């Protein structure tokens, strides 16, 4: 199909252009032939008028000879007609004495020079003959075939058609290899995309045999897309696995607790109360997980509206620190706040912003050992605010830094109640920062601590 398109685009315009050229040549040669015949007719008309051939019978043989010679020399037929339409002389000697009132003769008697080509290709020219008093006394009618011109143009056309055929064959061969050169890599790309659409995200395009051009760029983009889709698919599978694990754990605990009560007789009231409190705790844990999951889903689908208001962040951060102080004090952790600007105003959604920063501070407390230190710093320039949360906690391995915003990811692999949480807090924080058109970066060293740096524009464009 591509080859056919190239042929149509490359050859058809050339054929149309060539036909136009030859049609123009035909018209040009016909017009030149008409001019030539008109000139000959006017010359003959002047000779007839000057020599009085129509009235002086003594010059009749001279008149015949002159017409015959001119006719033979120029290869056309000459007919001389008087003012009444009677043929007085004919180079072919066929129509002498006959009435010859064709359209060209009538127009010439009306003092108009006429040149016209008939459908059969014969060209007729007619000019009037005038006497010394400018009276119309006759008409010179010349007819000539245009075959000689047509033969010349036809020969040129024939040679041109042969040249066109050769060009068309060369273009077809060239287009075939060019199409193959371009379509083979495209077929590879298409094949990979089709397999990807069927769920085979492990497919990749071999770029080694492709030159660096737009097709190579397309192949690279396709490979990047496949890699990203594979990551998304893996993340989805891990997410389902993690959700199952997170919900299965409290359900298993509840089942064990309830069966323990049911299988025992004469269970003391205190044990009922203790077991029911444990079951309630597991229900609360499941509720927390489900609520966080629902929040993430709504953030992903942008179902939660975001309302930006201009707010002073210093007091907001101070309020967050106050709420987190009891948690830090319980582990004898220093929780410090450093304000590098006296006032920092920014467009934020207060509820979502407070939730995101609270998650960062709470995480820092969870993963910092007793007698550790956490520092929250707020700064800004003329475009962005910068908020950092640094701790002296357990830190994060370099190969795991890119995973910490994944859902259910925990630095502490034990998933215990004290540090585990739901594993969704940082995912919620990450989504919230992105909704504020900002970014969040992490630097960390194992056993030395971590620093989370949040950047958010001071002014939001809607």
């Amino acid at each position: 199909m591509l080859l056919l398109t190239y042929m149509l685009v490359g050859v058809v315009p050339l054929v149309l252009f060539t036909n136009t050229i030859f049609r123009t040549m035909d018209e040009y040669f016909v017009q030149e032939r008409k001019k030539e015949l008109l000139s000959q007719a006017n010359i003959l008309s002047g000779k007839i008028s000057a020599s009085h051939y129509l009235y002086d019978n003594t010059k009749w043989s001279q008149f015949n000879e002159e017409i015959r010679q001119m006719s033979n020399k120029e290869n056309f037929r000459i007919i001389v007609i008087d003012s009444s339409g009677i043929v007085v002389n004919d180079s072919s000697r066929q129509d002498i004495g006959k009435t010859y009132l064709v359209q060209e003769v009538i127009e010439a008697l009306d003092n108009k020079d006429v040149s016209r080509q008939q459908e059969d290709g014969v060209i007729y020219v007619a000019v009037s003959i005038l006497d010394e008093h400018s009276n119309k006394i006759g008409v010179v009618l010349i007819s000539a075939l245009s075959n000689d011109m047509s033969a010349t143009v036809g020969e040129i056309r024939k040679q041109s058609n042969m040249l066109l055929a050769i060009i068309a064959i060369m273009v077809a061969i060239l287009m075939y290899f060019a199409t193959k050169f371009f379509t083979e890599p495209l077929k590879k790309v298409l094949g990979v995309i089709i397999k990807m659409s069927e769920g085979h995200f492990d497919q990749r395009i071999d770029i080694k045999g492709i030159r660096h051009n737009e097709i190579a760029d397309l192949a690279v983009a396709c490979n990047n897309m496949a890699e990203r889709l594979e990551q998304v698919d893996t993340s989805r599978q891990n997410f389902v696995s993690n959700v199952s694990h997170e919900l299965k754990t409290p359900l298993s605990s509840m089942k064990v607790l309830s069966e323990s009560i049911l299988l025992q007789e004469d269970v003391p009231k205190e044990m009922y109360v203790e077991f029911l409190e444990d079951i309630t705790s597991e229900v609360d844990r499941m509720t927390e997980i489900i609520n966080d999951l629902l929040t993430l889903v709504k953030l992903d689908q942008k179902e939660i509206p975001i309302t930006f208001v201009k707010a002073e962040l210093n007091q907001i951060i101070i309020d967050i620190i106050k709420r987190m102080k009891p948690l830090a004090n319980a582990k004898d952790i220093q929780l410090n706040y450093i304000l590098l600007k006296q006032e920092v105003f920014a467009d934020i959604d207060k509820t979502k912003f407070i939730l995101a920063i609270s998650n960062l501070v709470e995480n820092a407390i969870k993963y910092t050992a007793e007698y550790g230190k956490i520092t929250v710093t707020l700064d800004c320039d003329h475009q962005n605010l910068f908020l950092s949360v640094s701790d002296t906690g357990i830190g994060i391995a370099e190969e795991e830094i890119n995973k910490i915003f994944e859902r259910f990811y925990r630095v502490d692999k034990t998933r215990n109640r004290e540090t585990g949480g739901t594993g969704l807090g940082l995912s919620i924080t990450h989504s919230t920062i992105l909704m504020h058109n900002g970014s969040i970066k992490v630097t960390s060293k194992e056993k030395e601590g971590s620093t989370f740096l949040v950047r958010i524009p001071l002014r939001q464009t809607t």
Side-chain angles (χ1 to χ4, degrees):
M1 186 63 186
L2 191 59
L3 177 61
L4 179 61
T5 302
Y6 283 150
M7 289 295 295
L8 290 175
V9 173
V11 176
V12 171
L14 185 60
V15 172
L16 293 176
F17 176 75
T18 304
N19 286 335
T20 303
I21 291 294
F22 284 122
R23 187 165 57 251
T24 304
M25 287 177 61
D26 278 334
E27 293 175 356
Y28 171 78
F29 283 129
V30 168
Q31 292 301 323
E32 289 298 311
R33 184 62 168 160
K34 287 179 180 178
K35 290 178 184 178
E36 180 188 348
L37 294 177
L38 279 173
S39 176
Q40 295 289 343
N42 278 297
I43 290 171
L44 183 58
S45 172
K47 284 185 177 180
I48 292 173
S49 177
S51 301
H52 303 286
Y53 285 147
L54 294 181
Y55 302 112
D56 191 347
N57 292 331
T58 60
K59 298 180 178 180
W60 191 255
S61 59
Q62 183 182 349
F63 183 24
N64 286 338
E65 183 63 22
E66 191 164 339
I67 287 178
R68 185 186 65 80
Q69 288 181 0
M70 181 178 286
S71 175
N72 292 336
K73 180 181 178 182
E74 302 296 339
N75 193 28
F76 50 63
R77 181 184 179 187
I78 302 172
I79 299 175
V80 180
I81 305 166
D82 63 17
S83 58
S84 60
I86 304 297
V87 176
V88 296
N89 210 333
D90 183 357
S91 61
S92 66
R93 320 303 297 171
Q94 294 179 3
D95 296 326
I96 296 176
K98 295 181 180 179
T99 302
Y100 214 85
L101 289 176
V102 296
Q103 183 65 31
E104 287 80 4
V105 174
I106 296 172
E107 291 181 18
L109 287 173
D110 195 28
N111 203 24
K112 295 179 182 178
D113 288 350
V114 181
S115 62
R116 187 172 294 129
Q117 184 180 27
Q118 303 297 330
E119 292 182 0
D120 57 3
V122 178
I123 298 175
Y124 288 94
V125 298
V127 297
S128 58
I129 304 171
L130 304 177
D131 61 13
E132 61 270 16
H133 303 294
S134 298
N135 295 318
K136 293 184 283 294
I137 59 176
V139 172
V140 174
L141 178 67
I142 296 178
S143 62
L145 295 174
S146 59
N147 292 344
D148 53 344
M149 297 177 295
S150 299
T152 303
V153 175
E155 185 62 28
I156 298 174
R157 185 191 293 269
K158 182 179 178 181
Q159 294 178 4
S160 298
N161 288 338
M162 291 177 61
L163 181 61
L164 272 177
I166 295 172
I167 292 174
I169 293 171
M170 292 177 64
V171 169
I173 295 172
L174 186 64
M175 289 299 103
Y176 171 77
F177 287 106
T179 303
K180 191 173 182 180
F181 176 79
F182 286 110
T183 56
E184 287 300 322
L186 287 175
K187 285 180 180 178
K188 293 180 181 178
V189 174
L190 181 61
V192 170
I193 292 175
I194 290 174
K195 289 183 179 179
M196 285 167 55
S197 68
E198 296 171 350
H200 302 288
F201 302 128
D202 58 336
Q203 297 294 312
R204 298 292 185 273
I205 301 169
D206 184 11
I207 309 178
K208 293 180 181 177
I210 303 176
R211 287 189 174 186
H212 182 69
N213 51 28
E214 289 79 3
I215 296 177
D217 294 338
L218 176 63
V220 171
C222 187
N223 284 344
N224 291 338
M225 181 176 66
E227 184 175 348
R228 181 59 182 157
L229 287 172
E230 189 174 17
Q231 291 174 356
V232 170
D233 188 56
T234 302
S235 176
R236 178 184 60 81
Q237 293 176 8
N238 291 338
F239 176 72
V240 172
S241 175
N242 287 330
V243 169
S244 302
H245 183 276
E246 293 295 333
L247 295 179
K248 182 180 179 181
T249 301
L251 284 172
S252 299
S253 299
M254 291 164 60
K255 181 177 175 59
V256 169
L257 290 169
S258 60
E259 286 180 347
S260 297
I261 296 174
L262 291 173
L263 294 175
Q264 296 183 45
E265 296 181 1
D266 301 326
V267 179
K269 179 181 178 182
E270 293 77 9
M271 185 176 291
Y272 271 113
V273 173
E274 181 184 351
F275 279 30
L276 288 174
E277 286 177 349
D278 290 339
I279 291 174
T280 301
S281 175
E282 296 297 339
V283 171
D284 291 340
R285 177 170 167 75
M286 287 181 62
T287 302
E288 185 182 359
I289 293 172
I290 292 170
N291 287 337
D292 283 350
L293 283 172
L294 290 174
T295 300
L296 272 174
V297 170
K298 289 178 180 178
L299 287 173
D300 288 344
Q301 297 179 352
K302 295 181 174 57
E303 291 183 4
I304 300 178
I306 187 164
T307 305
F308 294 116
V309 295
K310 190 172 185 179
E312 205 286 306
L313 300 185
N314 182 36
Q315 189 57 50
I316 292 175
I317 304 302
I318 290 174
D319 291 341
I320 293 173
I321 297 296
K322 285 181 179 179
R323 287 199 302 273
M324 295 297 169
K325 271 286 186 182
L327 292 176
N329 292 338
K331 298 174 67 175
D332 292 321
I333 294 173
Q334 294 182 38
L335 182 53
N336 302 321
Y337 174 48
I338 300 175
L339 176 65
L340 299 179
K341 302 284 185 181
Q342 288 301 315
E343 289 184 331
V344 179
F345 287 92
D347 296 335
I348 60 170
D349 185 310
K350 291 180 68 174
T351 302
K352 296 181 180 62
F353 180 82
I354 291 171
L355 175 62
I357 305 306
S358 297
N359 281 340
L360 290 179
V361 178
E362 185 177 0
N363 257 26
I365 294 171
K366 286 180 181 178
Y367 293 107
T368 300
E370 292 181 348
Y371 310 109
K373 182 179 179 181
I374 297 172
T375 303
V376 180
T377 306
L378 180 64
D379 193 8
C380 71
D381 58 17
H382 63 287
Q383 287 184 326
N384 301 290
L385 70 87
F386 302 95
L387 186 144
S388 68
V389 179
S390 301
D391 62 57
T392 58
I394 63 175
I396 308 168
E398 184 177 352
E399 64 272 11
E400 295 186 340
I401 287 179
N402 294 329
K403 302 177 183 178
I404 61 172
F405 296 114
E406 294 178 4
R407 296 164 190 189
F408 294 111
Y409 176 83
R410 289 188 180 88
V411 175
D412 179 9
K413 305 301 182 183
T414 60
R415 297 178 181 261
N416 63 57
R417 292 172 181 266
E418 294 181 2
T419 62
T422 63
L424 298 171
L426 284 180
S427 294
I428 293 174
T429 297
H430 183 254
S431 297
T432 302
I433 299 302
L434 292 181
M435 290 180 73
H436 281 76
N437 300 309
S439 64
I440 180 168
K441 296 181 180 179
V442 185
T443 56
S444 182
K445 283 188 177 181
E446 286 188 278
K447 299 180 182 180
E448 292 185 17
S450 305
T451 297
F452 288 78
L453 178 62
V454 174
R455 179 197 61 81
I456 292 179
L458 296 176
R459 287 169 292 278
Q460 299 289 342
T461 56
T462 55

